[in-house]
Amino acid sequence: MDNLIISPIKFDNLEQIFDTENKLYVDQSLWKKEEYAKFFQLPEYLFLGLYHKKELLGWIALDPYTKKGIPMWNITTITVEPLFQGQGLGELLLLATFEILQKQEGNVLELQVSESNSVARKLYDKYGFQEVGRIPEFYDNGNDALVLHASNFKGTEFRNLLKENKKKLLSKHSYQIGKVPVIFLARTF
């Protein structure tokens, strides 16, 4: 697919995001619509959409914070519309996120994934995520959440991995990243 744009989500996409995630993630506790709306109002969050001809195909939400003095980013959701799944668009969102984070503060990307989500786990393995914890029975279906970290993603070795994976993705998709603000990490744990 050509001419994909990754840029901050538009507020008028809120209903689509809410509906799609409620259909896809029926076995998980999800945010309420008001919580999604909060993302659009808080300047420190990055909520990025993957657009093709103004149609929202997927999205990723990032929450910056500092934990024990270490600046980090947490992926709170990464979703591709069902009609477009299996085409590498989730990987494209993740790769673009790493590219964007090269210019941001922080060097650790964190996420939680269901232990039974083998497709997502394979993608995260490809980008060097390591399991650093487990949250027992996190999901409504009783599955544990694996806590994964990608560390040192600004290092030379990781940049080479990004370059190699980007080259493969560009054989299927062309994309550009729109204007994304630089975020200063303010929350501390």
Side-chain angles (χ1 to χ4, degrees), residues 5-56:
I5 305 286
I6 296 170
S7 64
I9 290 269
K10 299 174 181 97
F11 189 77
D12 57 355
N13 295 128
L14 178 62
E15 197 71 37
Q16 175 186 349
I17 292 165
F18 183 75
D19 290 346
T20 298
E21 290 205 355
N22 275 294
K23 287 177 199 163
L24 288 175
Y25 307 125
V26 293
D27 64 340
Q28 300 177 21
S29 296
L30 296 174
W31 300 319
K32 296 180 174 110
K33 197 179 296 187
E34 299 79 30
E35 292 169 313
Y36 276 105
K38 187 171 68 170
F39 271 114
F40 292 97
Q41 298 168 2
L42 297 173
E44 68 268 17
Y45 282 63
L46 279 178
F47 205 165
L48 304 170
L50 176 63
Y51 293 90
H52 182 256
K53 298 181 182 176
K54 298 186 180 183
E55 180 181 7
L56 181 63

Side-chain angles (χ1 to χ4, degrees), residues 50 80 84-94 169 172-173:
L50 176 63
V80 173
F84 300 101
Q85 291 179 357
Q87 299 178 35
L89 299 180
E91 181 176 0
L92 184 64
L93 274 168
L94 186 61
L169 272 175
K172 295 191 268 185
H173 307 290

Side-chain angles (χ1 to χ4, degrees), residues 4-159:
L4 297 169
I5 305 286
I6 296 170
S7 64
I9 290 269
K10 299 174 181 97
F11 189 77
D12 57 355
N13 295 128
L14 178 62
E15 197 71 37
Q16 175 186 349
I17 292 165
F18 183 75
D19 290 346
T20 298
E21 290 205 355
N22 275 294
K23 287 177 199 163
L24 288 175
Y25 307 125
V26 293
D27 64 340
Q28 300 177 21
S29 296
L30 296 174
W31 300 319
K32 296 180 174 110
K33 197 179 296 187
E34 299 79 30
E35 292 169 313
Y36 276 105
K38 187 171 68 170
F39 271 114
F40 292 97
Q41 298 168 2
L42 297 173
E44 68 268 17
Y45 282 63
L46 279 178
F47 205 165
L48 304 170
L50 176 63
Y51 293 90
H52 182 256
K53 298 181 182 176
K54 298 186 180 183
E55 180 181 7
L56 181 63
L57 308 182
W59 52 88
I60 188 167
L62 299 148
D63 177 15
Y65 65 98
T66 302
K67 185 176 184 178
K68 297 181 182 177
I70 300 170
M72 303 174 76
W73 290 86
N74 181 54
I75 295 177
T76 56
T77 187
I78 180 169
T79 303
V80 173
E81 284 286 350
L83 185 62
F84 300 101
Q85 291 179 357
Q87 299 178 35
L89 299 180
E91 181 176 0
L92 184 64
L93 274 168
L94 186 61
L95 184 127
T97 297
F98 278 119
E99 288 182 313
I100 290 165
L101 292 182
Q102 297 294 317
K103 298 176 183 117
Q104 304 283 351
E105 187 180 2
N107 198 29
V108 176
L109 183 58
E110 177 182 83
L111 59 85
Q112 294 81 37
V113 63
S114 174
E115 62 186 343
S116 66
N117 190 341
S118 59
V119 173
R121 289 177 61 191
K122 184 177 177 183
L123 173 62
Y124 302 140
D125 285 346
K126 182 176 180 179
Y127 283 86
F129 282 86
Q130 300 292 313
E131 184 177 339
V132 296
R134 180 180 285 262
I135 305 169
E137 300 179 14
F138 181 76
Y139 298 104
D140 291 346
N141 66 1
N143 278 350
D144 291 356
L146 304 179
V147 180
L148 306 180
H149 279 186
S151 303
N152 196 26
F153 57 80
K154 294 181 181 176
T156 304
E157 188 176 326
F158 193 85
R159 286 180 193 228

Side-chain angles (χ1 to χ4, degrees), residues 159-181:
R159 286 180 193 228
N160 289 338
L161 173 69
L162 282 182
K163 199 180 293 184
E164 181 181 315
N165 289 340
K166 183 176 182 175
K167 186 177 177 181
K168 291 175 189 172
L169 272 175
L170 287 176
S171 69
K172 295 191 268 185
H173 307 290
S174 68
Y175 72 98
Q176 65 184 33
I177 297 173
K179 186 175 181 182
V180 177

